[in-house]
Amino acid sequence: MDKYLKSDLENINELLEKVKNNACTFLKDIDEIPTFSKDSKGYNNSQLNQEGLGGEKALEEFIERFYKGIVSSAGAKYFGFVTGGSTPAALMGDWLVSAFDQNASGRDNSSGTKIEEETINLLKQLFGLPQEYSGAFVTGATMANFVGLAIGRQWVANELGFDIAKNGMYNLPPIKIISAAPHSSILKSLSMLGMGRDNMHYIPSINGREAIDIKALENYLKQNNGTPCIVVASAGTVNTVDFDDLKQIRELKKKYNFFLHVDAAFGGFAACSPKYKKLMEGIDAADSITVDAHKWLNVPYDSAMQFTKHTKLQIQVFQNNAIYLGELSENPDFVHLTPENSRRLRALPAWFTLKAYGSNGYQEVVERNCSLAEVLSKKIEESKNFKLLADTRLNVVCFTINLGDHSATLEEIQQFLKIVNEDGRAFFTQTVYKGTPGIRAAISNWRTEEKDMEIAWEVLNKAYKFYLR
């Protein structure tokens, strides 16, 4: 055995203790660690050492060269994208995932797949989904959307008498995909699936909102003359967390022939709260659903779920025909349900956090985050420096800077956010809403409290004064 491998194996307890201490220091200091990396020094590529360094020296080099560039994106004042953190229990589970290193593909290989099955059932309870849905973990919302749309593609083809999984798309007419304000990952998935970004048919939104105009949708479906198609509904748009009316879309499914995919990446967590769960009414009409775990569930990155009513179609698409995997059973292994053959046990952090905090814990997180979004919205409404671009419906605030004589351009928003983010105490991202450049504040971290919003507000106003001087 290599001398460093042998030494590290003999000293694994001490090595992991050093790593634990480093991680604990990071978590203890997370409120003081910048949300934005300012120093790019030390990132030049190093050469591979022929003899290696051993685990302890490798850790020392990491600390010296890269640790200072690790940002507090898992902290309370990171409002970019829609980013959660990691609850303590989720972190416990994630550490065990790496230690156990299970391949969660075969149902009988270990208890790993049983953990995934149970976690999917816990999540169905959390979201109020009927038991008829099956589910599986994937790497993120993009891949969950990919899986859902792949199932939808197979459904459309079957309706037309084709089997894409066996014969490809060569003889299939273009598949129509219909939506009002799809997330960019939907378009990316269309590209990867060979359906093409340009085959997205955009339906008008309700005036002043991002939710789909149901009458316009029905008119389109009428004109489609029964040709099977895919409707992508939003359960929480990225700019304003707007929801398509799923109840009305459910009624349309009784009259028209379409596959309904619901992108509920983070908006699906509205179901956790009695105050907001009405937004999810009608979700039971979905043929496939995307929910992201590393957003509002607050588990480490690389975790999302896809749910579907069409497991047989899913198997048609993702079945892995390899002799060493055995015969396909009535209860297929996960290797036949997702794009991956080898799969990390990413369900375990979700299992830990769901068991640790339950539905009440997630109701509290969702409602607190939404309340803080309302706090920020009120500050903006009362401010002369900023103005809202849209009503705040859940946990995302969409706003812009007030420049008086003209609306801020995207370049001006970018310049302003550079000042904000380089402050290091809060982080925001740019957007464009209804053609107007603006700023998004996505509040989805379990740590975030009102004091954090006060600091963020101070940072925004300080940057505004600096920008105008």
Side-chain angles (χ1 to χ4, degrees):
M1 180 182 288
D2 175 84
K3 64 178 180 179
Y4 284 124
L5 279 173
K6 187 173 186 298
S7 174
D8 285 354
L9 176 61
E10 293 171 349
N11 296 288
I12 188 67
N13 288 353
E14 290 81 359
L15 290 173
L16 292 181
E17 185 68 22
K18 288 178 181 291
V19 172
K20 185 203 79 172
N21 290 339
N22 180 260
C24 289
T25 298
F26 174 83
L27 294 173
K28 177 176 66 70
D29 296 340
I30 196 167
D31 284 339
E32 282 70 49
I33 293 173
T35 55
F36 181 82
S37 179
K38 301 177 183 179
D39 191 351
S40 60
K41 295 179 181 178
Y43 295 157
N44 294 330
N45 289 335
S46 63
Q47 298 299 310
L48 178 64
N49 186 297
Q50 186 172 356
E51 292 190 359
L53 300 172
E56 184 173 7
K57 291 292 185 183
L59 177 62
E60 289 174 0
E61 180 173 330
F62 163 75
I63 297 296
E64 179 184 347
R65 295 181 58 217
F66 296 108
Y67 180 76
K68 60 181 175 293
I70 300 296
V71 300
S72 58
S73 56
K77 294 180 285 294
Y78 192 93
F79 307 120
F81 313 106
V82 184
T83 303
S86 296
T87 65
L91 181 58
M92 291 164 60
D94 199 63
W95 280 12
L96 291 176
V97 171
S98 294
F100 296 157
D101 196 23
Q102 304 291 289
N103 182 357
S105 291
R107 292 186 185 277
D108 298 323
N109 295 344
S110 74
S111 62
T113 53
K114 305 300 186 293
I115 293 168
E116 183 160 348
E117 289 174 337
E118 180 167 307
T119 307
I120 287 294
N121 281 323
L122 295 174
L123 289 161
K124 286 193 288 189
Q125 295 171 46
L126 186 70
F127 300 129
L129 294 178
Q131 281 302 307
E132 65 182 300
Y133 284 95
S134 64
F137 275 80
V138 290
T139 56
T142 299
M143 196 50 63
N145 281 327
F146 175 89
V147 172
L149 291 171
I151 298 169
R153 184 185 65 172
Q154 187 74 359
W155 177 87
V156 170
N158 282 5
E159 289 286 299
L160 295 172
F162 294 88
D163 185 344
I164 286 177
K166 287 185 177 180
N167 303 314
M169 299 179 65
Y170 305 108
N171 297 314
L172 191 69
I175 297 174
K176 294 179 180 178
I177 307 95
I178 305 154
S179 191
H183 187 266
S184 60
S185 63
I186 296 290
L187 301 176
K188 183 175 183 177
S189 296
L190 295 181
S191 173
M192 292 191 290
L193 287 164
M195 291 192 280
R197 292 182 174 95
D198 287 349
N199 283 319
M200 171 63 73
H201 295 260
Y202 291 92
I203 304 297
S205 300
I206 297 170
N207 188 36
R209 291 179 54 187
E210 291 182 303
I212 198 166
D213 184 316
I214 296 295
K215 288 184 178 179
L217 174 60
E218 181 164 18
N219 287 337
Y220 186 93
L221 293 170
K222 280 181 182 177
Q223 295 170 13
N224 200 39
N225 292 321
T227 303
C229 59
I230 300 172
V231 172
V232 177
S234 297
T237 56
V238 71
N239 279 330
T240 64
V241 206
D242 210 345
F243 284 68
D244 291 338
D245 192 327
L246 299 177
K247 288 193 297 182
Q248 292 194 57
I249 295 176
R250 179 173 59 190
E251 293 303 308
L252 291 180
K253 273 184 70 69
K254 298 174 183 178
K255 301 165 60 178
Y256 303 99
N257 192 29
F258 63 89
F259 181 97
L260 176 60
H261 174 71
V262 177
D263 184 355
F266 65 99
F269 287 88
C272 299
S273 166
K275 184 177 180 181
Y276 301 110
K277 68 179 181 180
K278 62 186 178 184
L279 295 168
M280 289 288 285
E281 290 180 12
I283 189 67
D284 57 334
D287 294 289
S288 63
I289 303 168
T290 286
V291 183
D292 206 338
H294 56 240
K295 290 183 170 62
W296 234 341
L297 194 64
N298 278 255
V299 304
Y301 263 110
D302 185 43
S303 185
M305 298 78 63
Q306 60 79 211
F307 299 93
T308 187
K309 292 179 179 177
H310 300 284
T311 309
K312 289 183 179 180
L313 293 178
Q314 186 171 4
I315 294 168
Q316 288 177 18
V317 176
F318 295 106
Q319 180 180 351
N320 193 310
N321 298 300
I323 189 64
Y324 67 89
L325 296 174
E327 298 294 326
L328 186 65
S329 67
E330 290 185 6
N331 193 22
D333 290 344
F334 284 107
V335 71
H336 302 298
L337 298 174
T338 66
E340 305 156 301
N341 288 344
S342 302
R343 304 170 68 249
R344 193 172 190 264
L345 182 50
R346 59 177 62 88
L348 190 56
W351 184 91
F352 261 85
T353 196
L354 288 166
K355 284 290 185 178
Y357 311 117
S359 57
N360 286 347
Y362 279 95
Q363 177 183 336
E364 190 279 329
V365 171
V366 166
E367 292 181 350
R368 170 160 47 91
N369 286 170
C370 293
S371 176
L372 293 173
E374 291 173 4
V375 167
L376 179 58
S377 295
K378 187 175 181 181
K379 288 180 180 295
I380 292 170
E381 285 179 330
E382 296 172 350
S383 169
K384 295 180 180 179
N385 299 343
F386 305 95
K387 55 184 177 182
L388 291 173
L389 290 178
D391 293 337
T392 298
R393 293 181 174 83
L394 216 62
N395 65 318
V396 175
V397 183
C398 189
F399 64 104
T400 190
I401 53 178
N402 187 359
L403 297 181
D405 59 338
H406 71 281
S407 297
T409 64
L410 184 58
E411 182 180 4
E412 288 171 325
I413 292 291
Q414 291 168 340
Q415 292 170 350
F416 173 75
L417 285 178
K418 186 174 187 294
I419 299 169
V420 170
N421 294 335
E422 285 183 349
D423 179 283
R425 291 179 293 161
F427 187 92
F428 298 84
T429 47
Q430 68 189 41
T431 192
V432 175
Y433 174 70
K434 301 286 187 182
T436 302
I439 300 163
R440 288 174 61 257
I443 305 166
S444 48
N445 190 289
W446 66 275
R447 293 173 177 268
T448 308
E449 298 179 310
E450 192 160 353
K451 62 182 177 63
D452 301 303
M453 302 312 301
E454 294 295 336
I455 293 171
W457 186 240
E458 177 188 330
V459 171
L460 285 168
N461 282 283
K462 178 183 175 184
Y464 182 84
K465 292 178 181 176
F466 184 86
Y467 181 76
L468 288 185
R469 73 179 188 180

